């Protein structure tokens, strides 16, 4: 923990579920944490209270990351807590729209949140990481990008792009002390918004072969492992946490 004392982790979409669990996991490693949420201030404050129990500095920021200026502000706020060292791009949108009925606005809405925001946040944090010769970026993928699904052409396309984006940056910054990886959660026991549809229409198991849904903490543990002291040699990878639902 002492090694990470002055380092700050930014976690987007952290008002609940995997984002909240990731904030808690990183705080247990000694990282100071900036908790981001798009609009759920109450949820972000709940996450903040959990994080502070681990005796680290922490704060929240509410804002729309599809706006470039918000990402710049995110880094500015994080810098007040210490050295910006970790970025976890967890914020995501999982709409359900059959392609026959999908509008271009619905397509762009999902793409703007799932991939455009990564451009903004990475552009904002990487200069800080380069300056310090150390950084960890973890982007969240999606299982449907690997096994497909009905009604999610926009989600699948955007989550496939996350993998390519992560690999491209991993190569570009390999000599800068910055690692960039993608973590792909499987079917996780989370609270989903109504726009995601009543159920995931995957041509796969209703439950993973392991016999249950995953827990947010299990994904968060993988993310925090990639941000820890023994992860220097792991970059450009796509790592699945899915209970056996998919084998790359």
């Amino acid at each position: 923990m002492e090694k990470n004392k002055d380092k700050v982790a930014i976690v987007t979409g952290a008002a609940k579920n995997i984002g909240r669990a990731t904030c808690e996991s990183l705080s247990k490693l000694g990282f100071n944490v900036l908790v981001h949420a798009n609009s759920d201030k109450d949820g972000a404050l709940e996450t903040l209270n959990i994080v502070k129990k681990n005796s680290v500095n922490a704060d929240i920021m509410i804002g729309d990351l599809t706006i470039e200026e918000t990402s710049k502000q995110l880094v500015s706020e994080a810098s007040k807590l210490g050295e910006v060292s970790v970025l976890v791009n967890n914020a995501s949108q999982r709409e359900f729209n059959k392609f026959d009925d999908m509008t271009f606005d619905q397509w762009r809405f999902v793409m703007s949140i799932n991939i455009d925001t990564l451009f903004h946040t990475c552009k904002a944090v990487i200069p800080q990481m380069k300056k310090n010769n150390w950084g960890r970026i973890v982007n969240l993928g999606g299982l449907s990008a690997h096994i497909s699904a009905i009604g999610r052409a926009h989600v699948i396309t955007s989550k496939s792009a996350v993998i390519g984006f992560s690999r491209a940056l991993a190569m570009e910054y390999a000599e800068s002390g910055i690692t960039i990886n993608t973590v792909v959660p499987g079917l996780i026991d989370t609270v989903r918004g109504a726009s995601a549809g009543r159920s995931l229409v995957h041509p796969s198991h209703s439950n993973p072969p392991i016999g249950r849904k995953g827990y947010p903490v299990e994904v968060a543990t993988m993310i925090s492992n990639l941000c820890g002291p023994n992860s220097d040699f792991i970059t450009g990878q796509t790592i699945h946490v899915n209970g056996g639902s998919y084998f790359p």
Side-chain angles (χ1 to χ4, degrees), residues 1-9 21-33 51 53-56 86 88 134 136 220-231:
M1 285 184 64
E2 191 66 26
K3 186 176 181 180
N4 298 323
K5 181 179 179 182
D6 297 319
K7 293 179 178 178
V8 184
T22 299
C23 288
E24 182 176 13
S25 184
L26 288 169
S27 68
K28 288 179 179 177
L29 290 180
F31 288 101
N32 298 325
V33 180
V51 166
K53 291 178 181 178
N54 293 316
S55 301
V56 298
V86 170
V88 179
W134 198 91
R136 299 288 181 265
T221 298
M222 177 58 71
I223 293 169
S224 60
N225 285 344
L226 291 170
C227 300
N230 300 317
S231 62

Side-chain angles (χ1 to χ4, degrees), residues 41-235:
K41 185 175 182 179
D42 289 342
L45 287 170
E46 287 182 35
T47 302
L48 180 67
N49 289 332
I50 292 170
V51 166
K52 284 189 170 182
K53 291 178 181 178
N54 293 316
S55 301
V56 298
N57 294 324
D59 205 348
I60 69 167
M61 183 181 144
I62 309 299
D64 182 355
L65 292 175
T66 64
I67 301 170
E68 182 180 6
E69 194 59 37
T70 305
S71 291
K72 295 178 180 178
Q73 186 182 353
L74 199 67
V75 173
S76 177
E77 292 300 312
S79 297
K80 296 176 183 178
L81 301 172
E83 184 179 287
V84 179
S85 302
V86 170
L87 169 65
V88 179
N89 278 309
N90 173 69
S92 187
Q93 187 69 25
R94 294 175 179 84
E95 296 272 317
F96 181 91
N97 304 107
K98 293 286 187 70
F99 192 70
D100 281 352
D101 305 319
M102 187 183 299
T103 66
F104 186 68
D105 284 345
Q106 290 171 327
W107 169 272
R108 280 303 316 155
F109 175 66
V110 171
M111 296 294 284
S112 68
I113 295 173
N114 290 1
I115 190 66
D116 292 352
T117 59
L118 273 63
F119 179 88
H120 294 319
T121 56
C122 288
K123 286 285 280 188
V125 303
I126 284 175
Q128 300 289 321
M129 293 177 175
K130 286 176 66 178
K131 181 180 176 182
N132 298 320
N133 297 309
W134 198 91
R136 299 288 181 265
I137 298 174
V138 180
N139 300 317
L140 273 288
L143 182 60
S144 62
H146 301 269
I147 65 173
S148 198
I150 295 170
R152 281 178 165 75
H154 37 19
V155 176
I156 291 169
T157 303
S158 62
K159 289 300 185 179
S160 296
V162 168
I163 294 168
F165 181 74
S166 298
R167 288 175 177 170
L169 295 195
M171 181 66 75
E172 194 159 338
Y173 295 103
E175 297 181 357
S176 301
I178 305 169
T179 65
I180 300 101
N181 293 287
T182 303
V183 169
V184 183
L187 189 59
I188 308 299
D189 191 8
T190 58
V191 177
R192 291 178 177 268
S195 63
R198 292 187 178 182
S199 63
L200 291 174
V201 190
H202 285 160
S204 183
H205 313 277
S206 57
N207 266 337
I210 203 170
R212 62 171 175 82
K213 295 179 181 179
Y215 304 122
V217 67
E218 292 174 307
V219 182
T221 298
M222 177 58 71
I223 293 169
S224 60
N225 285 344
L226 291 170
C227 300
N230 300 317
S231 62
D232 291 355
F233 205 56
I234 306 171
T235 194

